[in-house]
Amino acid sequence: MPNLTLYHTSGCHLCEQAFELTQQLGIQVTLMDIVESQRLIDAYGVRIPVIQRADGEELGWPFDAESLQQFINA
């Protein structure tokens, strides 16, 4: 299983939907709250939720089960 990071923040309903989708599909992600770093806020503040693979490739919202599976299997 690839190493995946979900960039999110508290109170973001789209982030909650993205996390729920990963859970429904049995995909483990590392949660990274962007408020922990100004660099992350600058990079993701208007784009979250974003899932990032270990190779640095990113999948931004909106995504569904099919596009998420394709992303992690690429």
Side-chain angles (χ1 to χ4, degrees), residues 42-60:
D42 293 344
Y44 298 105
V46 296
R47 299 190 313 134
I48 56 173
V50 173
I51 293 185
Q52 184 181 66
R53 291 191 313 231
D55 65 4
E57 289 295 315
E58 296 179 343
L59 177 65

Side-chain angles (χ1 to χ4, degrees), residues 31-74:
L31 296 174
M32 179 65 66
D33 192 330
I34 65 168
V35 299
E36 296 178 13
S37 159
Q38 186 61 48
R39 180 187 65 79
L40 293 177
I41 292 170
D42 293 344
Y44 298 105
V46 296
R47 299 190 313 134
I48 56 173
V50 173
I51 293 185
Q52 184 181 66
R53 291 191 313 231
D55 65 4
E57 289 295 315
E58 296 179 343
L59 177 65
W61 191 261
F63 49 83
D64 58 14
E66 182 179 341
S67 59
L68 181 54
Q69 287 286 6
Q70 289 175 351
F71 176 73
I72 64 172
N73 293 325

